[in-house]
Amino acid sequence: QVEPVESGGGSVQAGGSLKLSCAMPRFLHSAYCMAWFRQTPDKEREGVAGLYSTDNRTYYSDAVKGRFTVSQDNAKTTLYLQMNDLKPEDTAMYICAADRGCPYGLDRRLTFGYWGQGTQVTVSS
């Protein structure tokens, strides 16, 4: 395994919940910065949520604040995204990212050198 691997996506109705998981490759265990981004065909990839693994400080975009929760397991090998009260506008490919440094912040694509392939989330009204 040489990149993060996401799972947990699917189709839900508005108001429903999903929990995404991202398994990190061994060389990224305890990576300092980990985050979730999302992308649709008509929008640029945008930061959704992230955390610093050493102290669990988190970041959330305004669009998901109060509905999504980012976390990691105790071994710092897996990143999670609990998504509640999902809305149709949350429909996107959700992509996990990680890196050992964090020079530009959790919400910037430039921060991350390692990306997964993504997992699709579809929310119907």
Side-chain angles (χ1 to χ4, degrees):
Q1 182 186 355
V2 295
E3 62 186 16
V5 178
E6 303 94 337
S7 61
S11 296
V12 295
Q13 290 191 325
S17 299
L18 282 174
K19 185 172 184 177
L20 306 183
S21 299
C22 175
M24 297 293 172
R26 184 174 295 275
F27 73 93
L28 285 176
H29 288 180
S30 298
Y32 181 50
C33 299
M34 296 183 283
W36 289 96
F37 287 73
R38 66 187 182 186
Q39 187 165 21
T40 60
D42 59 343
K43 288 185 180 179
E44 289 191 4
R45 190 171 296 188
E46 63 174 0
V48 173
L51 62 77
Y52 296 99
S53 66
T54 53
D55 58 10
N56 283 309
R57 280 181 296 143
T58 56
Y59 153 79
Y60 295 97
S61 70
D62 288 342
V64 308
K65 201 172 294 182
R67 300 186 298 122
F68 291 11
T69 302
V70 63
S71 62
Q72 61 179 334
D73 67 328
N74 289 336
K76 300 182 181 180
T77 64
T78 305
L79 184 70
Y80 301 103
L81 186 67
Q82 176 67 48
M83 305 186 295
N84 297 328
D85 191 22
L86 282 161
K87 304 176 180 181
E89 52 263 43
D90 294 318
T91 294
M93 181 72 74
Y94 284 73
I95 304 159
C96 176
D99 215 315
R100 289 177 285 236
C102 199
Y104 305 109
L106 293 171
D107 61 329
R108 301 289 303 278
R109 288 179 292 173
L110 278 175
T111 293
F112 299 97
Y114 303 96
W115 296 84
Q117 296 297 311
T119 186
Q120 178 67 36
V121 172
T122 302
V123 185
S124 58
S125 57

